[in-house]
Amino acid sequence: MSKAHFGLIGLGVMGENLVLNAERNGFSSVVFNRTYSKTQEFLNGRGAGKSITGARDLQEFVDKLERPRRILMMIKAGPSTDAVIDQISPYLLEGDLLIDGGNSEFRDTERRVSSLESKSFGYIGMGVSGGAKGALEGPSMMPGGTKASYEAVESLLCKMAAQVEDGPCVTYIGPGGSGHFVKTVHNGIEYGIEQILAEAYDLMKRVAGMNGDEISNVFEFWNKTEELCSYLVEITAACMRQKDEINGGDLVEKIMDKAGQKGTGLWTVISALELGASVPTIYASLNGRVMSSMKSQRINAEKILSRPLIKPFDLGSKSDGMSPLMDAVILATIASYAQGMELMRIASDEYNYNLNMPSIAQIWKGGCIIRSRLLRRIQNAFDNDPRLPNLLLDPWFAEQVNRRLPNLTKVVAGAANAGIPIPCLSSTLDYINSYRTSRLPQNLVQAMRDCFGSHTYERVDIKGTFHTDWI
Ligand code: NAP
């Protein structure tokens, strides 16, 4: 019997769909799952009649694969990944390649790449985005490791990836844990955009009194614009239109307002803090989830801390797509991308990843959760200047900021008067205002630090380091 081209470990939602994708693209496959009943279920179900076989144990799995072996792990990140690496390593030979496609922490991947590359087989840490549908039809993939390892699987990944007008949504990201780092930042941007769209929904509901269908119409309108056309806006329109089959009404209103924040969103913010990158819009989305999880406290606090009556303010009209609100959403979305791209640029220097910013924007244009038309503009901006310090300085984005900022300011002021929290929109306004201010009040912070701790300070008028005996 001829041997399979491709091996997959882990038949969860992602693994199942990715192996069907590989097989559809001409790569006969063998699958292994810790719980064998799932393998049987898959082979008798979605995998039936396809060039996919199963293995009961890892010996059988590797025996069924042609050499050099190409194996993708799609399993729970963390200790489970280390456990599977330990189990499979003894079976791997020179030239074989192991890919971790889970959401691993990039430092774990750094450690694994350096320890496993000293063995004879190759190791790739690869971010995969697109959810179940993307995994089946074509995801966006962010592989990191050695260039030689990437080249060994390039043709497979290029066929499996989503395709956009300028190529497949996969490219060599860089060494070590860079692939998982880029996926982490991708997810941080995703957190930001999800929260921004949730804030827009809240304002349309509570200030303008709109129902699910009316709000859905606005998101559909936004999805037809260059600035907001995106997968997340598209699915938000669908979520808003969904009715509750159990009790009637808009299903969104029946869903508990608590969201988790473990993993990649948290890691994005931790990395930004460690690297000194400013990501307030992304952080605000993470904190929004933290606040949301404090449900019982919020119920109690609402009774104790008085709130203003909601005073209506101008969000725009349904016929013009809620124009001021749309401006606010566009700028916060741009800010999420700008902060993520800047974090990657700083990390690239710090970790010697040599990230290619236009290529990263290119592979996010299809397949992934943050795919959007805006990414074409982002790609152009970094094509024009690969060392662009911040997306907001690119002429097209600067014009967006200058034109739309008055409306973001109005929306933030109106929401503040109405007592409605809009953490991402308001932190975006502070972000832009800080970034466009050449002199910030940190001179006084420096004075205080020198006063209590003799931390010294620099002056704007004379070179050198100074200390004052403050009175
Ligand atoms: P998942 O629920 O995260 O993982 C399920 C798979 O992991 C199952 O095959 C399970 O085997 C296996 N597994 C768990 N612990 C194991 C262990 N100690 N040893 C061996 N196998 C173990 O499934 P998923 O949603 O498909 O995600 C897979 C990976 O992709 C995760 O790292 C996830 O974060 C990442 N990811 C997910 C998405 C998404 O949209 N779901 C998108 C991108 C990336 P059993 O059947 O035996 O339990």
Side-chain angles (χ1 to χ4, degrees), residues 5-10 18 61 69-75 81 84-85 88 92 96-104 109 112-113 116-117 121-128 141-145 149-157 160 170 180:
H5 298 123
F6 172 67
L8 176 108
I9 300 177
L18 282 165
F61 178 71
R69 300 181 180 100
R70 291 174 288 192
I71 299 169
L72 174 63
M73 295 184 290
M74 283 312 289
I75 58 168
T81 304
V84 172
I85 292 170
I88 188 124
L92 298 182
D96 290 348
L97 189 69
L98 189 58
I99 307 171
D100 169 20
N103 271 340
S104 292
T109 305
R112 290 169 189 149
V113 168
L116 297 175
E117 284 286 345
F121 61 88
Y123 187 82
I124 285 183
M126 181 171 79
V128 179
M141 293 182 278
M142 295 146 252
S149 292
Y150 173 71
E151 281 164 1
V153 280
E154 190 173 15
S155 61
L156 167 79
L157 297 181
M160 287 176 70
V170 63
H180 278 133

Side-chain angles (χ1 to χ4, degrees), residues 10-15 33-35 38 74-77 80 83-84 87 101-104 128-132 183:
L11 281 169
V13 182
M14 294 298 283
N33 193 66
R34 176 182 61 174
T35 312
K38 266 203 200 167
M74 283 312 289
I75 58 168
K76 199 163 172 274
S80 309
V84 172
Q87 289 155 20
N103 271 340
S104 292
V128 179
S129 176
K183 173 66 188 339

